Amino acid sequence: MSAVPVPAAVRTIAPIAVGAVLTFLATRWGITVNEDTQEYLILGLSGVLAAAYYVVLLALESRWPRLGILLGSTARPTYEGKHRRASSRPAAATPGSPEDHQS
């Protein structure tokens, strides 16, 4: 099993932490709901705030790369595909491929 790239892990955890903090602050702003609903709203609000934070930061980071630090790291994660062709030459035509149907 390959290890998760550190920038990817940090950039995933940071928005979750920010979402949790923003949700905590929202509960301190005097928003009151009954106890049964409160847990579900807090969980949902944490997810929504974390996702919104992440999307907004990604958009801003494309214009101002230094803002990536607000995602926990300015290093963008890189991934390598598991299945890379060993050869750089094009694959041979197979029956039913467009090359077989040319007149």
Side-chain angles (χ1 to χ4, degrees):
M1 186 167 149
S2 64
V4 173
V6 172
V10 170
R11 292 168 66 100
T12 298
I13 294 167
I16 293 169
V18 169
V21 169
L22 291 176
T23 301
F24 171 77
L25 293 174
T27 62
R28 300 295 159 215
W29 292 332
I31 301 171
T32 57
V33 293
N34 69 34
E35 257 184 64
D36 295 335
T37 308
Q38 187 174 11
E39 289 181 34
Y40 296 111
L41 287 176
I42 289 172
L43 287 171
L45 187 57
S46 292
V48 167
L49 288 173
Y53 178 83
Y54 185 72
V55 169
V56 168
L57 258 281
L58 281 180
L60 292 173
E61 184 187 29
S62 66
R63 174 130 168 103
W64 298 289
R66 287 186 168 191
L67 288 180
I69 196 68
L70 296 175
L71 289 172
S73 171
T74 56
R76 288 196 144 191
T78 56
Y79 304 95
E80 287 189 30
K82 284 184 173 182
H83 308 287
R84 298 217 176 223
R85 289 186 183 234
S87 172
S88 61
R89 65 173 204 218
T94 58
S97 68
E99 291 84 3
D100 288 346
H101 299 292
Q102 293 178 354
S103 306

